């Protein structure tokens, strides 16, 4: 049932958009108010259940695996809130219908949609029993209130206020999320009922302190408590109906709602109540002080709201049943009179266009009904009998007397309440009754829609006090029972009891309040002249933190993201080094030296020396050419090392790659300034060199250490043993490539061919045809030109040889392809790329593509004959009496050869085309 | 059925969707290489590319539905792979759709762009399937080479050229780290097969083996680069800003998804027993990534850069799934990436829709008052921002995604501190995501601001789809959650008896 109500609220708010266009300016407020009004009536249906002390529950699995279930629960406390939300909601919508009549139609539609959505979110928040669902609705109210505060977004003030409110409350929401997570960790449940029922267990949790911090931050941000109180007065930029709804009656009470629900936990936790009361007192004092200083009608009301919220937080913090009674009563009383006052303030602002209290006066002539409503509400706010405000104030003092706290809260409460009395007087007397003649005319008078809200609520404030039985039985007692956990017998205070302590306190409050009211002018002027507080309040602190945070972030951004590739590389290398070091640290021991050091041999030593020399040269090199030569040297040393350690195949490949790189780089360098000085400063060089040295030392140490542990892998033995038997090849590396891991090789070949196509299509001018034809021939060196032709043929023949003998001897398709490409590179270096292209005759891409197809095709015979792709077949034929054993590995290797050749040439020609652009 | 991966025909079948995609891509490559470069042909190739992706998607879903499994081999056949494939293909389809409009507007009539995306997708699908470090390398290179080129696609833009070059150089570096890492791991365990590595570590007690641990460190560097984890993230903002926007979206969504898929698989299957040694560095990597991404995103003025940093932050959240390396983490990853892909793609689609020709109009301030001139775009962008923030209800499934990651972190042995870091850094992220919302809804539009161009059909389609799916799943997350929960990697070494010698020769 309650889920249907929630769904109805949501549908109603969605329908508000089209409906408000349909109904037009006059009627839409009245008709849309039917949504909350009918909800209000529907909730009244629950009165028997609630009055009997039962709760209505409804469950639906939503995301069960994540522990998020839509568990709704309507108990006495939620019931009070539901009635306030829907009841005041209906009046707000009616009011807004006229208040916003000057706005454009889409703008009104937006307002109605937002405010009804907001109502839905509020209902959802107070109805949900699952903390996570509560969190969802909580955040929804934040964003909706953000949109409502910034409704008049054309000027910067509402914008700033809206963003501030959103940052504060949405941030608080995330603190709530953190707390919820920890609650779930501690209890294994996210249900609010479990939190209440197992409060002592939760208080014993190791996470109790962070949980409380999270809950308090969430509640304090939402309910505008110190040090987050500043957003609420700023939020008065919202249209008044929204202020009346959000910032008096409902949203700001959500924090109180949460605190009340967590009250058992706070009470059970060490120093929980102290903290709450301390913050509440600070809030009350600051708010009272600021209320005296404020100039604008709505700002005065806003600060008085903050003070009232402080009182509520204090009441949650106080122990004893009466504190709960007082809290519940105050929630109701405050909602009634504060919403009324906001309505009246809105009417005044709307009618006069004025916002400062000082400028107003004598409005009773133009707005008589509003004035009466404001007077009634103010009397209630001042706590005078026979209004609801009186009853709630009596309970407030009763709760303080009965609680175990000392006199400080009491004194503060007296003072703050006195200020509230004065505020109540000021906001009624000043604009309406005093200063006749200040306002000469108003833009418009009172309309029924603008009156319904204030009249109904202010009269309720009187009626509920005169006829308290129904409200006590149906709403207040169940609400108190739901929060306190046990039924509390209520005895309403009355003047008939004679002079009691509480009555005396009330009288003192009214007396001081009257004094403040009498001297409001001087006090106000005096306090306004004190500007110190404006500089040192938490709003400034918040802004300063935001600003500092921004500056810090900017500094971090500059520090992390400078765009300098060299430094990026530096950091990547340094972090990589850190990870390698950690990898060794995790072994839990220092690097070891092998037991037996290998003997001293001159060959390897010389090679190592050359390598080290190359490395040093590379570090010191200042021009591109010298760097290239130095790096090339280390590359050749690597190849030599491979050769000396029994990997001739690898060495051959490395040699080919190194040579090719040199040639390619030369081609590129031809268009770059060869002797351009290095851009690195001396310091940067030193840094780079030290990082290089450190990393190489680390890697060296780790490698030496590795050589002490016996290697686990004996896979090379496996391949060595099976290479010839099953694949008829003696060159293990080649056999692995073409046979054992033929699939992988085919994949790599595809990648290489792909890169050829990419290089071709992306390097060089995009217009087809222009190609390399326009490349100006560079200087050609005669000797190079003469010899290159010879070398070209040598290299080509060599490459074919390397390819053919690959399966048994050193070589293979990859090295062969590289060697052949080297020949073409030489030609293009000597005679220009055009010449090389002419000699190639075939398009490099066709070469690569053809090679790929050949490689794939070589696997087909195996597939057809044996149902096994890339299973190589062997055939032995006699050629002139010499038996030649050849298999499908040759076309495979040839394919690789062609792909490599085509790719390198595609890059080569592409680079030249690019250079010629 | 259960594929015997030693039999090539069954291996081929197990790779059927991938092979289908590669074959189709080759055909499209030829189609795009021949003929003149016109916008019309670019669109045609784009349409065919989408069709190919859809076809592959169908194949993937068929394989998924058929419930095949496989023996321990070079590739994995399990729901995790198919789910990842679906995410990747989804990202690709959206990216191709976006780039069709984008390329036309920017007059980059390069039909190969779509083909490059398809090549990258082939690499990513290989990554999703890889159960062998060599396949991992192959997939990463296939993906990366195509993406390097995509980043520099706009030849007229110096920024794009710089981006592509930086990406390529740093990427080549990280490939070196990765390869060296693979070599060391192979040296220590005697295998490149992920499942065999896990088994070898367990069986031979290699948990403190120096070679293995150093190799793992290098692997972390290589993979960390691909997922853009801080401090290996430096390329990200420059590249994301410089690259054409649809390609940026593709990189931010699909590349990250694929890299994380393989990261997770390696960690869950090969190195679960190294948790003692490598848990802490990964933990710091995750936290550092979250902090750097979120803090630096705060000050960005350019929306693409802001989204780049936000993607770094999200990499941090996703790293949480790697840190916990359990089944919960794997399904959280899937769910998260689904939400993240939609939100990121949608956000970049809005950026594309609002940019003026030549990638102008990408400052956040340029979105001032968008709500007044293009309410639909503003509302959609708000949904994407809130989804990225993990905001409930209005951010659709974004909240559930973040909550899922938190759940994974809290599953025992719980990482409560990590969860708190996630929430805390999300708090920071609220500032910049909400700022965008504020600018769009509340700032007045300057009089001289150019009115946004008409949004072309494909872009509109992408924006609407992303927003609607996000919201609908946010309200009704159960089916997606159920799929994510069931799509777990199949850990072979847990189910099969332990290691075997290298494959017997045929």
């Amino acid at each position: 049932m309650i889920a249907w109500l929630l769904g109805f609220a949501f549908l109603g708010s969605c329908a508000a958009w089209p409906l408000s266009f349909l109904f037009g300016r006059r009627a839409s407020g009245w008709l849309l108010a039917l949504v909350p009004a009918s909800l209000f009536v529907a909730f009244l249906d629950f009165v028997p259940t609630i009055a009997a002390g039962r709760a209505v529950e409804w469950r639906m699995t939503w995301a069960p695996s994540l522990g998020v279930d839509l568990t709704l629960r309507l108990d006495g406390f939620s019931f009070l809130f539901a009635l306030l939300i829907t009841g005041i909601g209906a009046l707000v919508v009616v009011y807004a219908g006229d208040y916003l009549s000057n706005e454009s139609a889409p703008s009104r539609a937006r307002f109605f949609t937002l405010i009804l959505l907001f109502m839905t979110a509020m209902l959802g928040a107070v109805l949900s029993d699952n903390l996570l669902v509560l969190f969802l609705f909580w955040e929804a109210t934040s964003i909706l209130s953000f949109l409502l505060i910034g409704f008049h977004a054309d000027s910067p003030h509402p914008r700033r206020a809206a963003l501030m409110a959103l940052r504060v409350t949405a941030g608080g929401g995330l603190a709530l999320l953190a707390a919820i997570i920890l609650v779930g960790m501690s209890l294994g449940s996210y249900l609010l009922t479990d939190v209440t029922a197992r409060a002592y267990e939760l208080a014993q949790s190791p996470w109790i302190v962070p949980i409380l911090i999270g809950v308090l931050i969430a509640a304090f941000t939402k309910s505008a408590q110190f040090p987050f109180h500043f957003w609420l007065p700023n939020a008065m930029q919202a249209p008044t109906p929204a202020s009346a709804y959000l910032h008096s009656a409902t949203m700001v009470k959500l924090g109180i709602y949460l605190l009340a629900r967590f009250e058992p936990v706070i009470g059970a936790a060490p120093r929980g109540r102290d903290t709450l009361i301390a913050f509440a007192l600070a809030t009350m004092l600051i708010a009272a002080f600021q209320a005296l200083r404020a100039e604008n009608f709505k700002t005065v009301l806003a600060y008085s709201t903050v003070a009232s919220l402080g009182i509520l937080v204090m009441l949650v913090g106080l122990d004893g049943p009466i504190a709960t009674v007082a809290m519940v009563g105050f929630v109701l009383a405050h909602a009634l009179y504060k919403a009324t006052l906001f309505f009246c303030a809105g009417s005044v602002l709307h009618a006069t266009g004025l916002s400062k209290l000082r400028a107003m006066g004598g409005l009773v002539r133009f707005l008589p009904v509003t004035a009466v409503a404001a007077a009634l509400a103010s009397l209630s706010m001042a706590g005078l009998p026979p209004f609801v405000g009186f009853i709630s104030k009596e309970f407030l003092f009763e709760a303080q007397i009965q609680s175990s706290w000392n006199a400080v809260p009491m004194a503060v409460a007296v003072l703050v309440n006195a200020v509230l009395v004065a505020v109540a007087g000021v906001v009624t007397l000043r604009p309406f009754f005093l200063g006749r003649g200040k306002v000469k005319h108003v833009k418009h008078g009172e309309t029924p829609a603008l009156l319904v809200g204030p009249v109904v609520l202010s009269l309720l404030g009187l009626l509920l006090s005169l006829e308290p039985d129904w409200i006590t039985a149906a709403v207040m007692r169940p609400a108190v029972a739901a929060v306190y956990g046990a039924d509390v017998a209520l005895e309403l205070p009355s003047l008939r009891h004679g002079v009691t302590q509480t009555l005396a306190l009330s009288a003192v409050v009214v007396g001081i309040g009257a004094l403040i009211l009498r001297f409001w002018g001087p006090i106000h002027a005096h306090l306004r002249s004190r500007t110190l507080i404006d500089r040192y309040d938490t709003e400034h602190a918040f802004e300063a933190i935001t600003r500092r945070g921004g500056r810090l972030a900017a500094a971090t951004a500059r520090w992390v993201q400078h765009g300098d590739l060299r430094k990026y590389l530096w950091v990547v290398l340094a972090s990589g080094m850190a990870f390698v070091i950690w990898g060794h640290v995790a072994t839990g021991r220092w690097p070891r030296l092998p037991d037996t050091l290998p003997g001293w041999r001159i060959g390897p030593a010389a090679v190592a020396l050359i390598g080290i020399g190359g490395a040093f040269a590379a570090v010191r090199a200042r021009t591109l050419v010298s760097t290239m030569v130095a790096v090339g040297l280390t590359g050749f040393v690597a190849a030599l090392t491979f050769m000396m350690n029994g990997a001739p195949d690898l060495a051959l490949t490395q040699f080919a790659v190194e040579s090719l790189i040199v040639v390619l780089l030369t081609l590129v360098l031809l268009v770059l300034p060869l002797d351009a000085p290095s851009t690195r400063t001396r310091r940067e060089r030193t840094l780079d060199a030290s990082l290089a040295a450190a990393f190489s030392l680390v890697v060296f140490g780790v490698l030496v250490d590795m050589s002490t542990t016996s290697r686990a892998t004996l896979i090379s033995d496996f391949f060595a043993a099976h290479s010839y038997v099953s694949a008829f090849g003696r060159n293990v590396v080649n056999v692995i490539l073409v046979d054992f891991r033929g699939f992988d090789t085919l994949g790599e070949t595809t990648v290489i061919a792909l890169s050829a196509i990419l290089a071709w299509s992306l390097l060089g001018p995009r217009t087809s045809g222009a190609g390399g034809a326009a490349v100006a021939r560079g200087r050609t060196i005669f000797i190079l030109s003469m010899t290159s032709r010879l070398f070209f043929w040598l290299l080509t023949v060599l490459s074919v040889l390397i390819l053919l003998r690959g399966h048994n001897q050193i070589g293979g398709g990859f090295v062969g392809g590289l060697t052949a490409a080297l020949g073409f590179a030489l030609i293009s270096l000597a005679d220009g790329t055009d010449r090389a292209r002419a000699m190639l005759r075939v398009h490099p891409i066709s070469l690569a593509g053809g090679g790929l197809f050949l490689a794939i095709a070589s696997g087909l015979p195996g597939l057809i004959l044996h149902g096994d792709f890339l299973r190589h077949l062997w055939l032995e034929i006699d050629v002139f009496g010499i038996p030649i054993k050849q298999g499908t590995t040759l076309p495979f290797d040839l394919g690789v050869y062609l792909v490599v050749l085509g790719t390198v040439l595609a890059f080569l020609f592409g680079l030249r085309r690019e250079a010629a652009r | 059925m259960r594929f015997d991966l030693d039999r090539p025909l069954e291996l081929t079948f197990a790779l059927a969707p991938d092979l289908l995609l590669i074959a189709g891509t080759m055909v499209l490559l030829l189609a795009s290489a021949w003929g003149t470069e016109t916008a019309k042909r670019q669109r045609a190739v784009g349409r065919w590319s989408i069709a190919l992706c859809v076809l592959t998607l169908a194949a993937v879903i068929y394989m998924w539905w058929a419930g095949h499994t496989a023996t321990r081999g070079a590739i994995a056949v399990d729901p995790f792979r198919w789910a990842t494939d679906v995410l990747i293909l989804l990202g690709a389809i959206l990216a191709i759709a976006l780039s069709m409009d984008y390329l036309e507007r920017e007059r980059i009539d390069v039909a190969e762009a779509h083909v490059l995306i398809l090549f990258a997708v082939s690499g990513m699908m290989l990554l999703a399937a890889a159960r062998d470090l060599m396949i991992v390398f192959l997939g990463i290179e296939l993906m990366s080479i195509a993406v390097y080129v995509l980043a520099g696609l706009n030849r007229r833009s110096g920024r794009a050229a710089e981006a592509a070059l930086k990406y390529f150089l740093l990427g080549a570096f990280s490939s070196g780290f990765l390869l060296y890492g693979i070599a060391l791991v192979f040296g220590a365990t005697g295998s490149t097969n992920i499942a065999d590595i896990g088994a070898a570590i367990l069986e031979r007690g290699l948990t403190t083996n120096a070679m293995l641990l150093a190799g793992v460190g290098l692997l972390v560097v290589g993979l960390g680069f691909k997922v853009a984890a801080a401090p290996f993230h430096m390329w990200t903002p420059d590249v994301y800003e410089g690259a054409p926007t649809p390609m940026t979206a593709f990189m931010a969504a699909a590349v990250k998804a694929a890299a994380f898929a393989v990261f997770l698989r390696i960690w869950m299957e090969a190195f679960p027993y190294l948790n003692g040694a490598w848990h802490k560095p990964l933990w710091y990597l995750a936290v550092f990534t979250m902090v750097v991404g979120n803090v630096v995103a705060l000050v960005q003025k350019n929306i693409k850069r802001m989204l780049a940093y936000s993607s770094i932050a999200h990499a941090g959240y996703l790293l949480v799934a790697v840190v916990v390396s359990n089944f919960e983490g794997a399904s959280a990853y899937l769910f998260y990436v689904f939400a993240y892909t939609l939100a990121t793609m949608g956000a970049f689609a809005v950026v594309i829709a609002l940019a003026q020709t030549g990638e102008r109009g990408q400052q956040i301030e340029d979105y001032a008052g968008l709500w007044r001139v293009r309410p639909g775009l503003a509302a959609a962008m708000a949904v994407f921002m809130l989804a990225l923030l993990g905001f409930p209800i209005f951010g659709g499934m974004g909240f559930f995604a973040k909550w899922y990651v938190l759940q994974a972190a809290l599953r025992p042995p719980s990482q409560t501190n990590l969860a708190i870091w996630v929430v805390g850094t999300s708090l920071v992220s609220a500032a910049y995501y909400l700022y965008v919302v504020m600018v769009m809804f509340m700032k007045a539009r300057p009089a001289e601001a150019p009115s946004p161009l008409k949004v072309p059909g494909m872009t509109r389609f992408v924006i609407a789809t992303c927003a609607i799916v996000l919201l609908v799943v946010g309200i009704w997350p159960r089916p997606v959650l159920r799929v994510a929960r069931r799509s777990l990697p199949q850990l072979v070494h847990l189910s099969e008896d332990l290691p075997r010698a290298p494959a017997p020769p045929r």
Side-chain angles (χ1 to χ4, degrees), chain A residues 512-533:
Chain A
I512 302 177
L515 271 179
I516 299 177
L517 186 59
R518 171 67 188 75
F519 298 105
W520 177 275
I523 295 175
H524 176 72
H526 181 74
L527 291 179
R528 274 208 80 74
S529 65
R530 296 281 175 275
T531 52
L532 195 66
I533 185 157

Side-chain angles (χ1 to χ4, degrees), chain A residues 347-348 350-353 363 366-367 439-446:
Chain A
S347 297
V348 168
H350 210 250
T352 62
L363 284 169
F366 305 103
L367 309 168
V439 177
K440 292 286 183 292
H441 68 280
V442 293
K443 288 186 228 161
H444 59 79
E446 300 168 315

